[in-house]
Amino acid sequence: MEESKNTIRIAGVVRESIVDGPGLRFTVFCQGCPHHCEGCHNMATHDFSGGYDCEISRILEAIDENPLLDGVTFSGGEPMCQPEAFYNLAVQVKERGLNIVTYTGFTYEELITMGESNIGVKKLMDLTDILVDGRFVLEERDLTLPFRGSANQRLIDMNLTRELGKLTLAEI
């Protein structure tokens, strides 16, 4: 799948969410996911040919309509399958003073390896404030956990991870 840097293939958006990261968030659900986790709560996002292409500028216009937002969440599907486009969106989100939460079925360690050969993955990770990593595991499902569905998934404070040079979990 060739990626456009100015459009994102999305399943849709949620303009105000309090479950996709801390604070009031605008959530972009990308279309396409290679993981196919059993019990996924968003199976409609798995098909890479589903959803629709959306100009990044349209997403930004919708974000700009709400001055109360704390941040923007990239969810899925799998945002790391469209890293350059999500990076381009992230740059402009950061210019607006908003934070970024990125959900991924890949682990942090897998992303570090991927980033060695895919600059888009590295750049998107560099702008992410909180990374929710790991595939959803039905046997580890836990609805009491903040901002994730299974106990194996981690909330990683990417700013502290970069600052300290080691993986650091977010205290939420």
Side-chain angles (χ1 to χ4, degrees):
M1 177 170 124
E2 187 165 320
E3 181 181 358
S4 166
K5 295 179 174 128
N6 296 313
T7 63
I8 298 177
R9 167 98 36 204
I10 67 172
V13 301
V14 173
R15 291 173 179 264
E16 291 186 351
S17 172
I18 58 169
V19 297
D20 297 314
L24 185 62
R25 313 199 64 76
F26 186 99
T27 303
V28 179
F29 290 94
C30 73
Q31 185 69 38
C33 183
H35 307 300
H36 305 285
C37 301
E38 181 184 356
C40 175
H41 79 284
N42 214 350
M43 289 178 58
T45 66
H46 291 187
D47 183 358
F48 282 93
S49 63
Y52 58 96
D53 290 330
C54 185
E55 294 287 329
I56 288 173
S57 60
R58 292 198 58 213
I59 296 169
L60 290 165
E61 287 170 11
I63 290 168
D64 290 341
E65 289 174 6
N66 190 343
L68 301 178
L69 292 174
D70 295 298
V72 176
T73 296
F74 302 153
S75 192
E78 177 55 71
M80 293 300 171
C81 289
Q82 301 180 66
E84 285 286 343
F86 272 100
Y87 167 77
N88 289 340
L89 175 57
V91 167
Q92 295 183 64
V93 166
K94 288 292 203 173
E95 287 174 359
R96 287 159 168 78
L98 300 171
N99 64 59
I100 296 173
V101 172
T102 302
Y103 281 80
T104 180
F106 295 107
T107 64
Y108 171 81
E109 293 80 7
E110 289 172 322
L111 292 172
I112 294 297
T113 300
M114 289 169 63
E116 293 171 2
S117 60
N118 185 330
I119 191 68
V121 169
K122 181 182 181 336
K123 291 188 320 185
L124 179 54
M125 286 181 59
D126 286 345
L127 290 185
T128 295
D129 295 289
I130 295 175
L131 182 73
V132 183
D133 83 330
R135 291 156 185 81
F136 172 77
V137 176
L138 188 57
E139 294 78 24
E140 296 189 47
R141 181 177 184 231
D142 184 346
L143 298 180
T144 67
L145 297 170
F147 311 125
R148 59 198 187 277
S150 60
N152 63 297
Q153 295 172 310
R154 302 176 290 187
L155 296 174
I156 301 170
D157 183 326
M158 291 298 292
N159 296 318
L160 275 177
T161 294
R162 287 186 287 271
E163 181 182 323
L164 301 175
K166 65 178 185 169
L167 189 145
T168 305
L169 298 180
E171 296 184 21
I172 296 177

